[in-house]
Amino acid sequence: MKLPESVDRQILFEYLLRLGDERLVLGHRLSEWCGHAPILEEDIALANLALDLLGQSEALLDLASQVEGRSRTPDELAFLREAIDFRNPLIVELPIGDFAFTISRQFLFDVYSRLYFEKLEASSFEPLAGIARKTLQEIRYHHRHSRQWMLRLGDGTEESNRRTRRALDELWRFTAELFQSDDLEAGLLSSGIAPDRPALFEAWQDEVAGTLAEAGLQLPREEHRVSGGRSGQHTEHLGHLLAEMQILARSFPGASW
């Protein structure tokens, strides 16, 4: 694959892993609701969201594989890497919690995801811009779905409001990582490949605050923020998730069906 001029292959590969891993891990988390959602319609909806995220991840990991040039398949990148090699933000690897926790996380992620991929459409790396254009319709549907549920939960019963407030309080310290940049992405930003993460934060916070206000909720108070996922520093939850997600591929290496 021909890469943009002055772009290091390994840096671009790492960046694509970040995009693919966040969707792979969150997709697996959502799949854990299959058969356990509060209503049948939502059981199906969450399963479809999970499949969308896994499809997006496959496209991004396939592109990462091409950029890496080592003939590793998307399946090998997904199922044969250790936790320390994953580049997802911490928020997506947290256990699913109750329904309010899952929906709150999904909403916070979906607003970020929509804003980010709308910018990614203009990437100077056309294969990546093409993936962004193709997946934005799914991303926008995910955002509409989670937003509608935030309004229902916040403006529903006293119990649903309380659970949603608690979920937001638990999740808030993980949100800043979504907008943190580093030297790796700085180079890709200057070449027009990657969007400016920090520049999206204000729009994200304004949109989140508006929806929460409409739902009878409010932004959590500022507190200690945690990060490290994109550099391979994860919670213990990712290891447990990968043990379940990767067991088949690791038990029968090279198998196909």
Side-chain angles (χ1 to χ4, degrees):
M1 169 177 282
K2 182 178 180 180
L3 301 183
E5 293 183 10
S6 73
V7 173
D8 182 88
R9 183 180 296 272
Q10 184 62 30
I11 288 177
L12 183 55
F13 171 69
E14 286 279 328
Y15 174 66
L16 292 170
L17 286 184
R18 294 179 177 191
L19 298 180
D21 286 350
E22 66 184 14
R23 286 154 210 285
L24 175 65
V25 174
L26 184 57
H28 186 79
R29 279 300 186 211
L30 283 180
S31 74
E32 294 175 351
W33 277 102
C34 189
H36 301 284
I39 56 175
L40 178 60
E41 183 179 14
E42 191 58 20
D43 200 292
I44 297 170
L46 290 177
N48 283 329
L49 263 61
L51 288 172
D52 286 346
L53 287 164
L54 294 177
Q56 295 165 19
S57 174
E58 182 178 21
L60 290 161
L61 293 180
D62 181 53
L63 183 56
S65 172
Q66 296 176 52
V67 167
E68 184 188 32
R70 291 175 49 192
S71 300
R72 285 198 289 180
T73 67
D75 282 350
E76 288 173 328
L77 290 175
F79 300 122
L80 299 181
R81 281 183 295 148
E82 302 295 335
I84 196 173
D85 298 319
F86 273 72
R87 297 295 180 255
N88 58 277
L90 300 177
I91 192 171
V92 299
E93 68 193 46
L94 303 175
I96 60 175
D98 62 13
F99 186 67
F101 185 93
T102 285
I103 292 298
S104 297
R105 168 170 56 190
Q106 194 65 35
F107 171 69
L108 297 172
F109 180 86
D110 287 342
V111 178
Y112 145 75
S113 181
R114 197 202 77 235
L115 291 171
Y116 195 84
F117 270 65
E118 285 174 349
K119 296 295 185 182
L120 200 60
E121 275 190 299
S123 173
S124 62
F125 186 37
E126 178 53 34
L128 182 55
I131 292 174
R133 288 192 293 269
K134 184 177 180 181
T135 60
L136 258 173
Q137 184 175 352
E138 293 176 346
I139 291 170
R140 288 172 176 145
Y141 166 74
H142 292 191
H143 174 231
R144 289 196 301 271
H145 178 267
S146 60
R147 183 181 187 277
Q148 289 169 358
W149 267 111
M150 289 298 291
L151 297 176
R152 291 178 188 177
L153 294 173
D155 195 30
T157 65
E158 180 180 343
E159 176 70 5
S160 68
N161 182 282
R162 182 187 66 80
R163 284 176 178 257
T164 307
R165 283 189 283 109
R166 182 180 66 186
L168 289 168
D169 287 342
E170 292 175 1
L171 287 162
W172 199 248
R173 66 184 183 274
F174 295 96
T175 56
E177 186 179 17
L178 296 172
F179 303 96
Q180 289 176 351
S181 188
D182 56 16
D183 291 342
L184 183 147
E185 292 193 15
L188 298 178
L189 172 62
S190 64
S191 62
I193 293 177
D196 185 349
R197 286 185 188 274
L200 299 176
F201 176 75
E202 186 174 351
W204 174 84
Q205 183 163 262
D206 288 347
E207 186 169 338
V208 168
T211 297
L212 296 187
E214 189 176 348
L217 301 163
Q218 58 185 359
L219 291 177
R221 293 189 300 274
E222 291 290 331
E223 60 177 51
H224 174 66
R225 302 299 181 92
V226 294
S227 62
R230 291 199 176 102
S231 60
Q233 302 173 52
H234 296 282
T235 68
E236 69 275 16
H237 306 300
L238 182 64
H240 297 303
L241 182 151
L242 293 180
E244 179 180 89
M245 189 180 82
Q246 297 179 340
I247 186 171
L248 186 61
R250 289 179 178 272
S251 297
F252 302 97
S256 61
W257 53 87

